[in-house]
């Protein structure tokens, strides 16, 4: 799990959902949020107070979902105010499988 991608996707989706809840998101922004909720499998709007945790929890345990969300956000039209930030934040993320080891022991013994 890439912590930068997780944090970026979580904050971007939270901001977009907040704009939608306030009624200031464009139609494109609303559409992207609707698609994101569909990817999460949510049929109801999560409460604003739990939204960041709900998003991060879902994305943390599912690399495929995180990749789909990053792709959705990266493809957001830059001409729309609601989605400009989304596209610019996630545009440079590259998701790949990464293995991080805290400590490696062993070696070749002769």
């Amino acid at each position: 799990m890439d912590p930068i991608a997780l944090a970026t996707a979580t904050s971007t989706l939270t901001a977009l959902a907040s704009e939608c809840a306030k009624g200031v998101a464009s139609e494109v922004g609303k559409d992207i949020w609707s698609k994101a909720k569909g990817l999460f499998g949510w049929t109801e709007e999560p409460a604003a107070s739990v939204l960041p945790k709900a998003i991060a929890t879902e994305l943390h345990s599912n690399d495929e979902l995180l990749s789909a969300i990053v792709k959705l956000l990266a493809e957001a039209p830059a001409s729309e105010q609601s989605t400009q930030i989304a596209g610019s934040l996630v545009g440079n993320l590259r998701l790949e499988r990464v293995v991080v080891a805290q400590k490696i022991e062993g070696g070749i013994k002769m």
Side-chain angles (χ1 to χ4, degrees), residues 4-86:
I4 295 171
L6 175 62
T8 302
T10 298
S11 61
T12 303
L13 281 179
T14 301
L16 186 58
S18 177
E19 285 191 358
C20 289
K22 292 176 188 174
V24 296
S26 67
E27 289 304 314
V28 173
K30 291 175 189 175
D31 183 54
I32 290 172
W33 175 235
S34 178
K35 288 178 182 176
K37 288 190 301 184
L39 289 170
F40 285 111
W42 297 340
T43 56
E44 295 182 14
E45 196 76 29
S49 61
V50 299
L51 189 60
K53 184 176 181 179
I55 291 170
T57 300
E58 291 284 333
L59 295 179
H60 183 266
S61 60
N62 190 333
D63 286 338
E64 288 180 20
L65 177 60
L66 178 58
S67 293
I69 291 293
V70 168
K71 182 178 182 206
L72 176 67
L73 294 171
E75 293 174 349
S79 60
E80 293 284 331
Q81 185 175 352
S82 295
T83 57
Q84 275 179 340
I85 295 172

